[in-house]
Amino acid sequence: MADDFYRIYEQIGKYRDNIIELQRLLTSIPALAPENAGDGEMKKANALKEFLKKTGFPNPKEFNAPDKRVPDGIRPNLVYNINGHDTSKTIWIMSHTDVVPPGDLSRWNGDPFTLRIEGDRIYGRGVEDNQHGLVSSVFAVRPFLDLKIKPLYNIGLLFVADEEVGSHYGIGYILEKHNLFKKDDIIIVPDSGDPSGKDIEIAEKSIAWLKVETTGKQCHASRPDQGVNAFAAAAKLAAKVHAMYNIFDYQDELFNPPSSTFEPTKKEANVPNINTIPGDDVFYIDCRVLPKYKLSEIDSMLRKWADEIEKTENVKIRISPVQRAEAAPPTSETAPVVDLLKRAIRQVYKVEAKVVGIGGGTVAALFRRKGYPVAVWSRIQETAHQPNEYTDIPFIIGDARVFAHIFLGA
Ligand SMILES: [Zn+2]
């Protein structure tokens, strides 16, 4: 086994040009969701299928989700299975083919959909999110095919659609309609991480984005007696939001920061001129709440304050959710997936990994709600969704070695 790992480790180091080739191919096909005025992931999935076929991968199974909004009428979800010595369980690696739009093109130093290479660094929309994970998983499997080494357990590579816009046509669809996973399977989602490669994400906070609409009465600023200042009333509520830190003050060192967070954020424009008292006001609150608390507790506290302000300021305050997701049950720190990752990371990167929680909202929650203990891990520079998104080839090679270590059961 140790010998096999050494051979595989060396082999992955030889794939640098192939890694660039696959990254270039994937980057050249913008896979945007219809919500982002795109035609979906079909072209990119087909290119990936062709590439994998040429390099000896078996044919995939397809779990395509119907979606009338895209030209092909489906959103592609591909599954590649390789049998191991022991077929009782599968090591899964899931990545997504869709990308987010490039945003303001003037902030890019080149075409976002043409791969750019500077030394070990490659640039382009999607190279990190999520082609880093996707390409690592491909080149973790490739040496098993090239060297004809059988993995210990089955390998499952999953390339899904629609991660960036909610996963309804991607892993959400698969989890609802198909029965791919067994309870003992190991599931890794390389779609978040840090530059040290030490953070294994196993938990997330609940998330609530709230819209606060305050209604008073507009009037001339010289005659406040004739109106009701909605902005002044809303500001009282906004100023109270930070008091939540003292009320919901539980700390969990798994998370960074270890507390729940409550922040007034976006403020919509009200009146355009200085000499009018605004009759309407809209601002937003971003809450990231430790799984210990229910989001309904946050709602009630805010509502209580809003009721008080309605009375004293003579306004109406409406609070509504823009986004709301209760945290999924965390993956246990002692789950096998955590242990396997820690051992592989130690072997490849010579660092001690640790479990962490994050501020909320990854696709892992969909698995965790179904009772699958998923870990989210990769070694990345954290440039997802930014202009000039980039990733480093040595980290793709390293992450492929980490996954191969787990496949081999080394
Ligand atoms: Zn992603």
Side-chain angles (χ1 to χ4, degrees), residues 141-154:
V141 171
R142 179 83 175 265
F144 289 87
L145 306 173
D146 286 351
L147 302 174
K148 303 198 180 355
I149 293 172
K150 207 170 200 183
L152 178 57
Y153 298 109
N154 299 338

Side-chain angles (χ1 to χ4, degrees), residues 96 98 100 128-131 163-164 190-192 363 384-385:
H96 61 88
D98 59 319
V100 294
E128 179 181 287
D129 184 12
N130 188 213
Q131 289 157 212
E163 193 277 339
E164 298 292 358
D191 195 19
S192 173
V363 69
H385 299 208

Side-chain angles (χ1 to χ4, degrees), residues 92-357:
W92 294 95
I93 299 183
M94 185 188 88
S95 53
H96 61 88
T97 50
D98 59 319
V99 298
V100 294
D104 182 358
L105 290 177
S106 70
R107 295 174 65 198
W108 285 80
N109 300 330
D111 173 22
F113 298 109
T114 302
L115 192 79
R116 233 165 9 101
I117 309 175
E118 279 172 25
D120 278 337
R121 189 157 281 181
I122 52 176
Y123 296 82
R125 174 54 84 230
V127 294
E128 179 181 287
D129 184 12
N130 188 213
Q131 289 157 212
H132 178 101
L134 190 162
V135 174
S136 310
S137 75
V138 166
F139 288 95
V141 171
R142 179 83 175 265
F144 289 87
L145 306 173
D146 286 351
L147 302 174
K148 303 198 180 355
I149 293 172
K150 207 170 200 183
L152 178 57
Y153 298 109
N154 299 338
I155 298 172
L157 296 191
L158 201 53
F159 305 116
V160 295
D162 193 36
E163 193 277 339
E164 298 292 358
V165 196
S167 292
H168 304 293
Y169 301 91
I171 190 60
Y173 172 83
I174 292 175
L175 286 168
E176 277 315 310
K177 303 277 182 189
H178 299 280
N179 211 347
L180 281 188
F181 309 105
K182 294 207 231 46
K183 290 291 166 197
D184 285 340
D185 284 356
I186 301 294
I187 307 173
I188 300 167
V189 177
D191 195 19
S192 173
D194 78 308
S196 75
K198 290 182 185 173
D199 290 357
I200 301 172
E201 188 259 291
I202 58 163
E204 60 190 40
K205 294 175 184 173
S206 299
I207 180 169
W209 290 353
L210 302 167
K211 181 178 190 182
V212 181
E213 294 164 283
T214 304
T215 312
K217 185 165 182 266
Q218 183 173 315
C219 66
H220 197 283
S222 67
R223 294 297 307 275
D225 54 300
Q226 291 180 342
V228 177
N229 190 326
F231 174 38
K236 289 201 171 182
L237 185 57
K240 289 202 84 134
V241 170
H242 276 182
M244 297 258 202
Y245 282 100
N246 300 323
I247 298 163
F248 302 99
D249 62 350
Y250 183 76
Q251 307 266 318
D252 183 341
E253 292 300 331
L254 189 63
F255 291 88
N256 179 23
S259 68
S260 304
T261 58
F262 308 94
E263 294 295 332
T265 53
K266 179 174 168 178
K267 176 77 185 72
E268 282 185 14
N270 48 31
V271 291
N273 53 312
I274 297 171
N275 59 347
T276 294
I277 284 176
D280 295 291
D281 184 90
V282 180
F283 79 97
Y284 297 82
I285 306 172
D286 178 311
C287 306
R288 313 286 168 131
V289 183
L290 290 173
K292 175 183 171 68
Y293 300 111
K294 287 265 161 287
L295 286 177
S296 58
E297 298 175 66
I298 312 303
D299 294 337
S300 332
M301 181 54 63
L302 267 177
R303 194 59 247 173
K304 182 172 154 271
W305 290 338
D307 289 346
E308 286 165 13
I309 292 167
E310 280 189 343
K311 278 205 199 89
T312 59
E313 307 301 313
N314 196 26
V315 290
K316 279 275 164 261
I317 300 177
R318 184 164 172 253
I319 304 173
S320 52
V322 178
Q323 201 202 148
R324 187 187 166 87
E326 206 87 49
T331 292
S332 163
E333 291 183 39
T334 58
V337 64
V338 173
D339 184 54
L340 288 168
L341 270 169
K342 278 186 175 171
R343 287 200 288 132
I345 293 165
R346 190 182 300 133
Q347 190 75 32
V348 172
Y349 285 125
K350 317 289 179 217
V351 295
E352 279 310 306
K354 61 182 193 305
V355 289
V356 299

